[in-house]
Amino acid sequence: MDNLRIDSHKLIYHVERVAKWKNGDLIAPIYMEIAPSGGCNHRCIFCALDYIGYKPRFLDTGVLKTVIKDSAKYGVKSVMYAGEGEPLLHKDIVDIIGFTKHSGLDVSITTNGVFLNGMVIKNCLKDLSWVRVSFNAGSPEAYQKIHRGRKGDFEKVISNLEQAVSFKKKNKLSCVIGAQMLLIPENTGEVIKLARILKKIGVDYFTVKPFSKHPMSYCNIKKGFDYGKFAGLEKSLGKLAAKDFRIIFRSHTMEKLKEGRFYRHCLGLPFWAYISAEGDVYACSAYLGNKKFMYGNVYKNKFLDIMKGKRRQAILKMAATELDTSKCREVCRLDEINRYLWELKNPGPHVNFI
């Protein structure tokens, strides 16, 4: 059982917020993704946000802390540091993570793991709900071809994960340490190798997800990759799973790539927000750079004014009534949420026969 609900959604645990949304209230996001850094030390061949250009810009720490304080007051519950760059490149990321946690927000980070060093582990792991490492090969050669980082990064990430697991166990921390692989034609032969490495390290889980092309990305991963051919891979991975090593093969999401969407518009945006390394606040990360989806900028406006403002209300209304989701990114982060909300708004027959 995937009790982390990685291949599902968690709105079922936020019934009061959902009820307010259904009543027509302007609600605070439950979750925000923030990009502390626009730069990245890798140039992954599958990168969804390559079109932004890996610009070496960083959110001002003071401005970000003000946003965090205001977010907690507004009712935001969690923040993930990730975004268009590598978050651990921000010089104050350790301070930022601690500040976020002590402001009353759950905090997590998605990283390529190269800079998940001993200092970060020692100072941040106690405050993180989870850390997820993007790890897309099981050998140095394939890793270099896919991640396109520096020679030795593969070994460095393994060493960092070993340190993180050891520190977690020694200090009996609750932080969940996981790794994620994006299954693409270039790494289909690497999955089992990586799973064995991760199991030996002792990470909590390994998830394998399908590739979906960002509408604006330059990457040339073959579209239409047939994930239906990999049922045997899921079975083989299952043999490596253990009580303390969960494997989440996202077959449900892979199946949805063939189905298409049954919801016509996007209803999930009120529950989520994105802040770029430039300070722009977006409704949706699939439209970064498109001002039509930008609420405002935290350098120019107060965060609460942005989130309670008329522009946000107008964008949410547009997404819920006009946006053609058939042109959006496939199986986006809010797909399961949108399926749930669409059914709430458009129930089928016999709903009282529970």
Coordinates of all heavy atoms in Angstrom, one line a residue, residues 156-247:
K156 N 28.9 10.7 -5.6 CA 28.7 11.7 -4.6 C 27.2 11.6 -4.0 O 27.0 11.7 -2.8 CB 28.9 13.1 -5.1 CG 28.9 14.2 -4.1 CD 29.2 15.5 -4.6 CE 30.7 15.6 -5.0 NZ 31.1 16.9 -5.4
V157 N 26.3 11.4 -4.9 CA 24.9 11.3 -4.5 C 24.7 10.0 -3.6 O 24.0 10.1 -2.6 CB 23.9 11.3 -5.7 CG1 22.5 11.0 -5.3 CG2 24.0 12.6 -6.5
I158 N 25.3 8.9 -4.0 CA 25.2 7.7 -3.3 C 25.8 7.9 -1.9 O 25.2 7.5 -0.8 CB 25.9 6.5 -4.0 CG1 25.1 6.1 -5.2 CG2 26.1 5.3 -3.0 CD1 25.8 5.0 -6.0
S159 N 26.9 8.5 -1.8 CA 27.6 8.8 -0.5 C 26.7 9.7 0.4 O 26.5 9.5 1.6 CB 28.9 9.5 -0.7 OG 29.5 9.8 0.5
N160 N 26.1 10.7 -0.3 CA 25.2 11.7 0.5 C 24.0 11.0 1.0 O 23.6 11.2 2.2 CB 24.8 12.8 -0.4 CG 26.0 13.8 -0.7 OD1 27.0 13.7 0.0 ND2 25.8 14.6 -1.7
L161 N 23.4 10.1 0.2 CA 22.3 9.3 0.7 C 22.6 8.4 1.8 O 21.9 8.2 2.8 CB 21.6 8.5 -0.5 CG 20.7 9.3 -1.4 CD1 20.4 8.4 -2.6 CD2 19.5 9.7 -0.7
E162 N 23.8 7.8 1.7 CA 24.2 6.9 2.8 C 24.4 7.7 4.1 O 24.0 7.2 5.2 CB 25.6 6.3 2.4 CG 25.4 5.2 1.4 CD 26.8 4.7 0.9 OE1 27.8 5.4 1.0 OE2 26.8 3.6 0.3
Q163 N 25.0 8.9 4.0 CA 25.1 9.8 5.2 C 23.8 10.2 5.8 O 23.6 10.2 7.0 CB 25.9 11.0 4.8 CG 27.4 10.8 4.6 CD 28.1 12.2 4.4 OE1 28.2 13.0 5.3 NE2 28.5 12.4 3.2
A164 N 22.8 10.5 4.9 CA 21.5 10.9 5.3 C 20.8 9.8 6.1 O 20.2 10.0 7.1 CB 20.7 11.4 4.1
V165 N 20.8 8.6 5.5 CA 20.2 7.5 6.1 C 20.8 7.2 7.5 O 20.1 6.9 8.5 CB 20.2 6.2 5.2 CG1 19.8 5.0 5.9 CG2 19.4 6.5 4.0
S166 N 22.1 7.2 7.5 CA 22.8 6.9 8.8 C 22.5 7.9 9.9 O 22.2 7.6 11.0 CB 24.4 6.9 8.5 OG 25.1 6.7 9.7
F167 N 22.5 9.2 9.5 CA 22.2 10.3 10.4 C 20.7 10.2 10.9 O 20.5 10.4 12.1 CB 22.4 11.6 9.8 CG 22.3 12.8 10.7 CD1 23.4 13.2 11.5 CD2 21.1 13.5 10.8 CE1 23.3 14.3 12.4 CE2 21.0 14.6 11.7 CZ 22.1 15.0 12.5
K168 N 19.8 9.8 10.0 CA 18.4 9.7 10.4 C 18.3 8.6 11.4 O 17.6 8.8 12.4 CB 17.6 9.4 9.1 CG 16.2 9.0 9.5 CD 15.4 8.5 8.3 CE 14.0 7.9 8.7 NZ 13.2 7.5 7.6
K169 N 18.9 7.4 11.1 CA 18.7 6.3 12.0 C 19.4 6.6 13.4 O 18.8 6.2 14.4 CB 19.3 5.0 11.4 CG 18.5 4.5 10.2 CD 19.1 3.3 9.6 CE 18.3 2.8 8.4 NZ 18.9 1.6 7.8
K170 N 20.6 7.2 13.4 CA 21.3 7.4 14.6 C 20.5 8.4 15.5 O 20.5 8.2 16.7 CB 22.7 8.0 14.2 CG 23.5 8.3 15.5 CD 24.9 8.9 15.0 CE 25.7 9.3 16.3 NZ 27.1 9.8 15.8
N171 N 19.9 9.4 14.9 CA 19.2 10.4 15.7 C 17.6 10.1 15.7 O 16.9 11.0 16.3 CB 19.4 11.8 15.1 CG 20.9 12.2 15.2 OD1 21.3 12.7 16.3 ND2 21.7 11.9 14.2
K172 N 17.2 9.0 15.2 CA 15.8 8.6 15.3 C 14.9 9.7 14.7 O 13.9 10.1 15.4 CB 15.4 8.2 16.7 CG 16.2 7.0 17.2 CD 15.8 6.6 18.6 CE 16.7 5.4 19.1 NZ 16.3 5.1 20.5
L173 N 15.2 10.2 13.6 CA 14.4 11.3 12.9 C 13.3 10.7 12.1 O 13.3 9.6 11.6 CB 15.3 12.1 12.1 CG 16.5 12.8 12.7 CD1 17.4 13.6 11.7 CD2 16.1 13.7 13.9
S174 N 12.3 11.5 11.9 CA 11.1 11.1 11.2 C 11.1 11.4 9.7 O 10.3 11.0 8.9 CB 9.8 11.7 11.8 OG 9.9 13.1 11.7
C175 N 12.1 12.2 9.3 CA 12.2 12.6 7.9 C 12.2 11.3 7.0 O 13.0 10.4 7.2 CB 13.5 13.4 7.7 SG 13.8 13.8 5.9
V176 N 11.4 11.3 6.0 CA 11.3 10.2 5.0 C 12.3 10.5 3.9 O 12.2 11.6 3.3 CB 9.9 10.1 4.5 CG1 9.9 9.0 3.3 CG2 8.9 9.7 5.6
I177 N 13.2 9.6 3.6 CA 14.2 9.8 2.6 C 13.9 8.9 1.4 O 13.8 7.7 1.5 CB 15.6 9.4 3.1 CG1 16.0 10.3 4.3 CG2 16.7 9.6 2.0 CD1 17.2 9.9 5.0
G178 N 13.6 9.5 0.2 CA 13.2 8.8 -0.9 C 14.0 9.2 -2.2 O 14.7 10.2 -2.2
A179 N 13.9 8.4 -3.2 CA 14.5 8.6 -4.5 C 13.5 8.4 -5.6 O 12.6 7.6 -5.5 CB 15.7 7.7 -4.7
Q180 N 13.6 9.2 -6.6 CA 12.6 9.1 -7.7 C 13.3 9.0 -9.1 O 14.3 9.7 -9.3 CB 11.7 10.4 -7.8 CG 10.8 10.4 -8.9 CD 9.8 11.6 -8.8 OE1 8.9 11.6 -8.1 NE2 10.2 12.7 -9.5
M181 N 12.9 8.1 -9.9 CA 13.4 7.9 -11.2 C 12.3 8.2 -12.2 O 11.2 7.8 -12.1 CB 13.9 6.5 -11.5 CG 14.3 6.2 -12.9 SD 14.8 4.5 -13.2 CE 16.5 4.6 -12.9
L182 N 12.6 9.0 -13.2 CA 11.7 9.3 -14.4 C 12.1 8.2 -15.4 O 13.2 8.2 -15.9 CB 12.0 10.7 -14.9 CG 10.9 11.3 -15.8 CD1 9.6 11.5 -15.1 CD2 11.4 12.6 -16.4
L183 N 11.1 7.4 -15.7 CA 11.4 6.3 -16.6 C 11.3 6.8 -18.1 O 10.2 7.2 -18.6 CB 10.3 5.2 -16.4 CG 10.6 3.9 -17.2 CD1 11.9 3.2 -16.8 CD2 9.4 2.9 -16.9
I184 N 12.4 6.7 -18.8 CA 12.5 7.2 -20.1 C 13.3 6.1 -20.9 O 13.9 5.2 -20.4 CB 13.3 8.5 -20.2 CG1 14.6 8.4 -19.5 CG2 12.4 9.7 -19.6 CD1 15.5 9.7 -19.6
P185 N 13.3 6.2 -22.3 CA 13.9 5.1 -23.1 C 15.4 4.9 -22.7 O 15.9 3.8 -22.8 CB 13.8 5.6 -24.5 CG 12.5 6.5 -24.5 CD 12.5 7.1 -23.1
E186 N 16.0 6.0 -22.3 CA 17.5 6.0 -22.0 C 17.8 5.2 -20.7 O 19.0 4.9 -20.5 CB 18.0 7.4 -21.9 CG 18.1 8.1 -23.3 CD 16.8 8.7 -23.8 OE1 15.7 8.5 -23.0 OE2 16.7 9.2 -24.8
N187 N 16.9 5.0 -19.8 CA 17.2 4.3 -18.6 C 16.4 3.1 -18.2 O 16.4 2.7 -17.0 CB 17.2 5.3 -17.4 CG 15.8 5.8 -17.1 OD1 14.8 5.4 -17.7 ND2 15.7 6.8 -16.2
T188 N 15.7 2.5 -19.2 CA 14.9 1.3 -18.8 C 15.7 0.2 -18.3 O 15.2 -0.6 -17.5 CB 14.1 0.9 -20.1 OG1 15.0 0.6 -21.1 CG2 13.1 1.9 -20.5
G189 N 17.0 0.1 -18.7 CA 17.9 -1.0 -18.2 C 18.6 -0.7 -16.9 O 19.3 -1.5 -16.4
E190 N 18.3 0.5 -16.4 CA 18.9 1.0 -15.2 C 18.1 0.8 -13.9 O 18.6 1.0 -12.8 CB 19.3 2.5 -15.3 CG 20.3 2.7 -16.5 CD 21.7 2.2 -16.2 OE1 22.2 2.6 -15.1 OE2 22.2 1.5 -17.0
V191 N 16.8 0.6 -14.1 CA 15.9 0.6 -13.0 C 16.2 -0.4 -11.9 O 16.3 0.0 -10.7 CB 14.4 0.4 -13.5 CG1 13.4 0.6 -12.3 CG2 14.1 1.4 -14.6
I192 N 16.4 -1.6 -12.2 CA 16.6 -2.7 -11.2 C 18.0 -2.4 -10.6 O 18.1 -2.6 -9.3 CB 16.6 -4.1 -11.9 CG1 15.2 -4.4 -12.5 CG2 17.0 -5.1 -10.9 CD1 14.1 -4.4 -11.5
K193 N 19.0 -2.0 -11.3 CA 20.3 -1.7 -10.8 C 20.2 -0.6 -9.7 O 20.7 -0.7 -8.6 CB 21.2 -1.3 -11.9 CG 21.7 -2.4 -12.8 CD 22.8 -1.9 -13.7 CE 22.3 -1.1 -14.8 NZ 23.4 -0.7 -15.8
L194 N 19.4 0.4 -10.0 CA 19.3 1.5 -9.1 C 18.5 1.1 -7.8 O 18.8 1.4 -6.7 CB 18.6 2.7 -9.7 CG 18.4 3.9 -8.8 CD1 19.7 4.4 -8.2 CD2 17.7 5.1 -9.6
A195 N 17.4 0.3 -8.1 CA 16.6 -0.2 -6.9 C 17.5 -1.0 -5.9 O 17.4 -0.8 -4.7 CB 15.5 -1.1 -7.4
R196 N 18.4 -1.8 -6.5 CA 19.3 -2.6 -5.6 C 20.2 -1.7 -4.8 O 20.5 -1.9 -3.6 CB 20.0 -3.6 -6.4 CG 19.2 -4.8 -6.9 CD 19.9 -5.7 -7.8 NE 19.1 -6.8 -8.2 CZ 19.2 -7.5 -9.4 NH1 20.1 -7.1 -10.3 NH2 18.4 -8.5 -9.6
I197 N 20.7 -0.7 -5.5 CA 21.6 0.3 -4.8 C 20.9 1.0 -3.7 O 21.4 1.1 -2.5 CB 22.2 1.3 -5.8 CG1 23.2 0.6 -6.8 CG2 22.9 2.5 -5.1 CD1 23.6 1.5 -7.9
L198 N 19.7 1.5 -4.0 CA 18.9 2.2 -3.0 C 18.5 1.3 -1.8 O 18.5 1.8 -0.6 CB 17.7 2.8 -3.6 CG 18.0 3.9 -4.7 CD1 16.7 4.3 -5.5 CD2 18.6 5.1 -4.1
K199 N 18.2 0.1 -2.1 CA 17.8 -0.8 -1.0 C 19.0 -1.1 -0.1 O 18.8 -1.1 1.2 CB 17.3 -2.1 -1.6 CG 16.8 -3.1 -0.5 CD 16.2 -4.4 -1.1 CE 15.7 -5.3 -0.1 NZ 15.1 -6.5 -0.7
K200 N 20.2 -1.2 -0.7 CA 21.4 -1.4 0.1 C 21.7 -0.2 1.0 O 22.1 -0.3 2.2 CB 22.5 -1.7 -0.8 CG 23.8 -2.1 0.0 CD 25.0 -2.4 -1.0 CE 26.2 -2.7 -0.3 NZ 27.4 -3.0 -1.2
I201 N 21.5 1.0 0.4 CA 21.7 2.2 1.2 C 20.7 2.3 2.3 O 21.1 2.8 3.4 CB 21.5 3.5 0.2 CG1 22.6 3.5 -0.8 CG2 21.5 4.8 1.1 CD1 22.4 4.6 -1.9
G202 N 19.5 1.9 2.1 CA 18.5 2.0 3.2 C 17.5 3.1 3.1 O 16.9 3.5 4.1
V203 N 17.3 3.7 1.9 CA 16.3 4.7 1.8 C 14.9 4.2 2.0 O 14.7 3.0 2.0 CB 16.4 5.4 0.4 CG1 17.7 6.0 0.1 CG2 15.9 4.4 -0.7
D204 N 14.0 5.0 2.3 CA 12.7 4.6 2.7 C 11.8 4.1 1.5 O 11.0 3.2 1.7 CB 11.9 5.7 3.4 CG 12.6 6.1 4.8 OD1 12.7 5.2 5.6 OD2 13.0 7.2 4.9
Y205 N 12.0 4.8 0.4 CA 11.2 4.4 -0.8 C 11.9 4.8 -2.1 O 12.8 5.6 -2.1 CB 9.8 5.0 -0.7 CG 9.8 6.5 -1.0 CD1 9.7 7.0 -2.3 CD2 9.8 7.5 0.0 CE1 9.7 8.3 -2.6 CE2 9.8 8.8 -0.3 CZ 9.7 9.2 -1.6 OH 9.7 10.6 -1.9
F206 N 11.5 4.1 -3.1 CA 11.9 4.4 -4.5 C 10.7 4.4 -5.4 O 9.9 3.5 -5.4 CB 12.9 3.3 -4.9 CG 13.3 3.3 -6.4 CD1 13.7 4.5 -7.0 CD2 13.4 2.2 -7.1 CE1 14.1 4.6 -8.3 CE2 13.8 2.2 -8.5 CZ 14.1 3.4 -9.0
T207 N 10.5 5.5 -6.1 CA 9.4 5.7 -6.9 C 9.8 5.8 -8.4 O 10.8 6.5 -8.7 CB 8.5 6.9 -6.5 OG1 7.3 6.9 -7.4 CG2 9.2 8.2 -6.6
V208 N 9.1 5.2 -9.3 CA 9.3 5.2 -10.7 C 8.1 5.8 -11.4 O 7.0 5.3 -11.2 CB 9.6 3.8 -11.3 CG1 9.9 3.9 -12.8 CG2 10.8 3.2 -10.5
K209 N 8.3 7.0 -12.1 CA 7.2 7.7 -12.7 C 7.4 7.8 -14.2 O 8.5 7.8 -14.7 CB 7.0 9.0 -12.0 CG 8.2 10.0 -12.2 CD 7.9 11.4 -11.6 CE 6.9 12.2 -12.4 NZ 6.8 13.5 -11.9
P210 N 6.3 8.1 -14.9 CA 6.4 8.2 -16.3 C 6.9 9.7 -16.7 O 6.7 10.6 -15.9 CB 5.0 7.9 -16.8 CG 4.1 8.4 -15.7 CD 4.9 8.0 -14.5
F211 N 7.4 9.8 -17.9 CA 7.7 11.1 -18.4 C 6.5 11.7 -19.1 O 5.8 11.1 -19.8 CB 8.8 10.9 -19.5 CG 9.1 12.2 -20.3 CD1 9.9 13.2 -19.8 CD2 8.6 12.3 -21.6 CE1 10.1 14.3 -20.5 CE2 8.8 13.4 -22.4 CZ 9.6 14.4 -21.8
S212 N 6.3 13.0 -18.9 CA 5.3 13.8 -19.6 C 6.0 15.1 -20.0 O 6.6 15.8 -19.2 CB 4.1 14.0 -18.8 OG 4.3 15.0 -17.8
K213 N 5.9 15.4 -21.3 CA 6.6 16.6 -21.8 C 5.9 17.9 -21.5 O 4.7 18.0 -21.6 CB 6.7 16.5 -23.3 CG 7.6 17.6 -24.0 CD 7.8 17.3 -25.4 CE 8.4 18.5 -26.1 NZ 9.7 18.9 -25.6
H214 N 6.7 18.8 -20.9 CA 6.2 20.1 -20.7 C 6.0 20.8 -22.0 O 6.8 20.7 -22.9 CB 7.2 20.9 -19.9 CG 6.7 22.2 -19.4 ND1 6.5 23.3 -20.2 CD2 6.5 22.7 -18.1 CE1 6.1 24.3 -19.5 NE2 6.1 24.0 -18.2
P215 N 4.8 21.5 -22.2 CA 4.5 22.1 -23.5 C 5.6 23.0 -24.1 O 5.7 23.1 -25.3 CB 3.2 22.8 -23.3 CG 2.6 22.1 -22.1 CD 3.7 21.7 -21.2
M216 N 6.4 23.6 -23.2 CA 7.4 24.6 -23.6 C 8.8 24.0 -23.6 O 9.8 24.7 -23.9 CB 7.3 25.8 -22.8 CG 5.9 26.6 -23.0 SD 5.8 28.0 -22.0 CE 7.0 29.1 -22.8
S217 N 9.0 22.8 -23.1 CA 10.3 22.3 -23.0 C 11.0 22.0 -24.3 O 10.4 21.6 -25.3 CB 10.3 21.0 -22.1 OG 11.5 20.3 -22.1
Y218 N 12.3 22.1 -24.3 CA 13.1 21.8 -25.5 C 13.5 20.4 -25.6 O 14.0 19.9 -26.6 CB 14.4 22.7 -25.5 CG 14.2 24.1 -25.4 CD1 15.0 24.9 -24.6 CD2 13.3 24.8 -26.2 CE1 14.9 26.3 -24.5 CE2 13.1 26.2 -26.1 CZ 13.9 26.9 -25.2 OH 13.7 28.3 -25.1
C219 N 13.4 19.6 -24.5 CA 13.9 18.3 -24.4 C 13.3 17.4 -25.5 O 12.1 17.6 -25.9 CB 13.8 17.7 -23.0 SG 12.1 17.1 -22.7
N220 N 14.0 16.5 -26.0 CA 13.6 15.6 -27.1 C 13.3 14.2 -26.8 O 13.6 13.3 -27.6 CB 14.5 15.8 -28.3 CG 15.9 15.3 -28.0 OD1 16.2 14.9 -26.9 ND2 16.8 15.4 -28.9
I221 N 12.9 13.9 -25.5 CA 12.6 12.6 -25.2 C 11.4 12.1 -26.0 O 10.5 12.9 -26.3 CB 12.1 12.5 -23.7 CG1 13.3 13.0 -22.8 CG2 11.7 11.1 -23.3 CD1 14.5 12.1 -22.8
K222 N 11.5 10.9 -26.5 CA 10.5 10.4 -27.4 C 9.1 10.4 -26.8 O 8.9 9.8 -25.8 CB 10.9 8.9 -27.8 CG 9.9 8.3 -28.8 CD 10.4 6.9 -29.2 CE 9.4 6.2 -30.2 NZ 9.8 4.9 -30.5
K223 N 8.2 11.1 -27.5 CA 6.8 11.2 -27.0 C 6.1 9.9 -27.4 O 6.4 9.4 -28.5 CB 6.1 12.4 -27.5 CG 4.8 12.8 -26.8 CD 4.3 14.1 -27.2 CE 3.0 14.4 -26.5 NZ 2.4 15.7 -26.9
G224 N 5.2 9.5 -26.6 CA 4.4 8.3 -27.0 C 5.1 7.0 -26.5 O 4.8 5.9 -27.0
F225 N 6.1 7.1 -25.7 CA 6.8 6.0 -25.1 C 5.8 5.0 -24.5 O 5.0 5.4 -23.7 CB 7.8 6.5 -24.0 CG 8.7 5.4 -23.4 CD1 9.3 4.5 -24.2 CD2 8.9 5.5 -22.0 CE1 10.2 3.5 -23.6 CE2 9.7 4.5 -21.4 CZ 10.4 3.6 -22.2
D226 N 5.8 3.8 -24.9 CA 4.8 2.8 -24.5 C 5.1 2.2 -23.1 O 5.9 1.2 -23.0 CB 4.6 1.7 -25.5 CG 3.5 0.8 -25.2 OD1 2.7 1.0 -24.2 OD2 3.3 -0.2 -25.9
Y227 N 4.5 2.8 -22.1 CA 4.7 2.3 -20.7 C 4.0 0.9 -20.5 O 4.3 0.2 -19.5 CB 4.3 3.3 -19.7 CG 5.2 4.5 -19.6 CD1 4.9 5.7 -20.2 CD2 6.5 4.4 -19.0 CE1 5.8 6.7 -20.2 CE2 7.3 5.4 -18.9 CZ 7.0 6.6 -19.5 OH 7.9 7.7 -19.5
G228 N 3.1 0.6 -21.3 CA 2.4 -0.7 -21.2 C 3.3 -1.9 -21.3 O 3.0 -3.0 -20.9
K229 N 4.5 -1.7 -21.9 CA 5.4 -2.8 -22.1 C 6.2 -3.1 -20.8 O 7.0 -4.1 -20.8 CB 6.4 -2.4 -23.2 CG 5.8 -2.3 -24.6 CD 6.9 -1.9 -25.6 CE 6.2 -1.7 -27.0 NZ 7.3 -1.4 -28.0
F230 N 6.0 -2.3 -19.7 CA 6.9 -2.5 -18.6 C 6.1 -3.1 -17.4 O 6.6 -2.8 -16.2 CB 7.5 -1.1 -18.2 CG 8.5 -0.7 -19.3 CD1 8.1 0.2 -20.3 CD2 9.8 -1.2 -19.3 CE1 9.0 0.6 -21.3 CE2 10.7 -0.8 -20.3 CZ 10.3 0.1 -21.3
A231 N 5.1 -3.8 -17.6 CA 4.4 -4.5 -16.5 C 5.3 -5.5 -15.8 O 5.3 -5.7 -14.6 CB 3.2 -5.2 -17.0
G232 N 6.2 -6.1 -16.6 CA 7.2 -7.1 -16.0 C 8.2 -6.4 -15.1 O 8.6 -6.9 -14.1
L233 N 8.5 -5.1 -15.5 CA 9.4 -4.4 -14.6 C 8.9 -4.1 -13.3 O 9.5 -4.2 -12.2 CB 9.8 -3.0 -15.3 CG 10.7 -2.1 -14.6 CD1 12.1 -2.8 -14.3 CD2 11.0 -0.8 -15.5
E234 N 7.6 -3.8 -13.3 CA 6.9 -3.5 -12.0 C 6.9 -4.8 -11.1 O 7.2 -4.7 -9.9 CB 5.4 -3.1 -12.2 CG 4.7 -2.8 -10.9 CD 3.3 -2.3 -11.2 OE1 2.8 -2.4 -12.3 OE2 2.7 -1.8 -10.2
K235 N 6.7 -5.9 -11.7 CA 6.7 -7.2 -11.0 C 8.1 -7.5 -10.5 O 8.3 -7.9 -9.3 CB 6.3 -8.4 -11.9 CG 6.1 -9.7 -11.2 CD 5.5 -10.7 -12.2 CE 5.3 -12.0 -11.5 NZ 4.7 -13.1 -12.5
S236 N 9.2 -7.3 -11.3 CA 10.5 -7.5 -10.8 C 10.9 -6.6 -9.7 O 11.6 -7.0 -8.7 CB 11.5 -7.3 -12.0 OG 11.3 -8.2 -13.0
L237 N 10.5 -5.3 -9.7 CA 10.7 -4.4 -8.7 C 10.0 -4.8 -7.4 O 10.6 -4.7 -6.3 CB 10.2 -3.0 -9.1 CG 11.1 -2.2 -10.0 CD1 10.4 -0.9 -10.5 CD2 12.5 -1.8 -9.3
G238 N 8.9 -5.4 -7.5 CA 8.1 -5.8 -6.4 C 8.8 -6.9 -5.6 O 8.7 -6.9 -4.3
K239 N 9.7 -7.7 -6.2 CA 10.5 -8.7 -5.5 C 11.6 -8.1 -4.6 O 12.0 -8.7 -3.7 CB 11.1 -9.6 -6.5 CG 10.1 -10.5 -7.3 CD 10.8 -11.3 -8.3 CE 9.7 -12.1 -9.2 NZ 10.4 -12.9 -10.2
L240 N 11.9 -6.8 -4.9 CA 13.0 -6.1 -4.2 C 12.4 -5.3 -3.0 O 13.1 -4.9 -2.1 CB 13.8 -5.2 -5.1 CG 14.6 -5.8 -6.1 CD1 15.2 -4.8 -7.0 CD2 15.8 -6.6 -5.5
A241 N 11.1 -5.1 -3.0 CA 10.4 -4.3 -2.0 C 10.5 -5.0 -0.6 O 10.5 -6.3 -0.6 CB 9.0 -4.0 -2.4
A242 N 10.5 -4.3 0.4 CA 10.5 -4.8 1.8 C 9.8 -3.9 2.7 O 9.4 -2.8 2.3 CB 12.0 -5.0 2.2
K243 N 9.6 -4.3 3.9 CA 8.8 -3.5 4.9 C 9.5 -2.1 5.1 O 8.8 -1.1 5.2 CB 8.8 -4.2 6.2 CG 7.9 -3.5 7.2 CD 7.8 -4.3 8.5 CE 6.9 -3.6 9.6 NZ 6.8 -4.4 10.8
D244 N 10.8 -2.1 5.0 CA 11.5 -0.8 5.2 C 12.0 -0.2 3.9 O 12.9 0.7 3.9 CB 12.7 -1.0 6.2 CG 13.6 -2.1 5.8 OD1 13.4 -2.8 4.8 OD2 14.7 -2.2 6.4
F245 N 11.6 -0.8 2.8 CA 12.0 -0.2 1.5 C 10.8 -0.4 0.5 O 10.6 -1.4 -0.1 CB 13.2 -1.0 0.9 CG 13.6 -0.5 -0.4 CD1 14.0 0.8 -0.7 CD2 13.7 -1.4 -1.5 CE1 14.4 1.2 -1.9 CE2 14.1 -1.0 -2.8 CZ 14.5 0.3 -3.0
R246 N 10.0 0.7 0.5 CA 8.8 0.7 -0.4 C 9.2 1.0 -1.8 O 10.0 1.9 -2.1 CB 7.8 1.7 0.1 CG 7.1 1.2 1.4 CD 6.3 2.3 2.0 NE 7.3 3.3 2.7 CZ 6.9 4.4 3.3 NH1 5.6 4.7 3.4 NH2 7.7 5.2 3.9
I247 N 8.6 0.4 -2.8 CA 8.7 0.7 -4.2 C 7.4 1.1 -4.7 O 6.4 0.3 -4.6 CB 9.3 -0.5 -4.9 CG1 10.8 -0.8 -4.5 CG2 9.3 -0.2 -6.4 CD1 11.4 -1.9 -5.2

